[in-house]
């Protein structure tokens, strides 16, 4: 079993920054991908950023140049540095780990961008 625990969400003004963290524990495979998704009441859950253990990285077009995903592989932790935040970035952010064809999800952390 795998557990994911997110932290770092909160309220921030437009143009501000936040850093999300997600720590994975349990039976973690040496090959996996970790990612961040986000969801609002109006939109279904969608990919924000992904990074594999092999270094593959990808971002949603809407966050390219503003968000950076990074990993501490020995600690099974993934981070999402979010800069130049916009009101449209407001959402619940979910950590995801995929290994051996199975997806695991964190409980989500709320990010609200508002003045």
């Amino acid at each position: 079993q795998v557990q994911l625990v997110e932290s770092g969400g909160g309220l921030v003004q437009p143009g501000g920054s936040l850093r999300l963290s997600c720590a994975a524990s349990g039976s973690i495979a040496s090959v996996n991908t970790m990612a961040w998704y986000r969801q609002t009441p109006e939109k279904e859950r969608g990919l924000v950023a992904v990074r594999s253990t092999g270094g593959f990285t990808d971002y949603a077009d809407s966050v390219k140049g503003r968000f950076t995903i990074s990993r501490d592989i020995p600690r099974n932790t993934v981070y999402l540095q979010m800069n130049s935040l916009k009101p449209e970035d407001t959402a619940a952010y979910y950590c995801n780990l995929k290994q051996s064809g199975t997806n695991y999800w964190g409980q989500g952390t709320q990010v609200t961008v508002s003045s």
Side-chain angles (χ1 to χ4, degrees), residues 13-74:
Q13 292 187 342
S17 298
L18 278 177
R19 188 192 195 206
L20 305 182
S21 300
C22 172
S25 60
S27 300
I28 310 299
S30 60
V31 177
N32 60 64
T33 62
M34 293 190 78
W36 289 95
Y37 287 72
R38 65 186 181 187
Q39 184 175 9
T40 69
E42 297 77 27
K43 291 184 179 180
E44 62 184 21
R45 193 173 298 188
L47 179 69
V48 176
V50 59
R51 189 172 178 94
S52 73
T53 48
F56 170 80
T57 304
D58 199 15
Y59 296 91
D61 287 343
S62 59
V63 307
K64 285 180 179 177
R66 300 189 297 122
F67 291 10
T68 302
I69 188 170
S70 60
R71 294 187 60 171
D72 184 337
I73 292 176

Side-chain angles (χ1 to χ4, degrees), residues 92-103:
Y93 285 70
Y94 294 88
C95 178
N96 169 272
L97 184 148
K98 183 175 182 178
Q99 60 184 28
S100 304
T102 301
N103 281 292

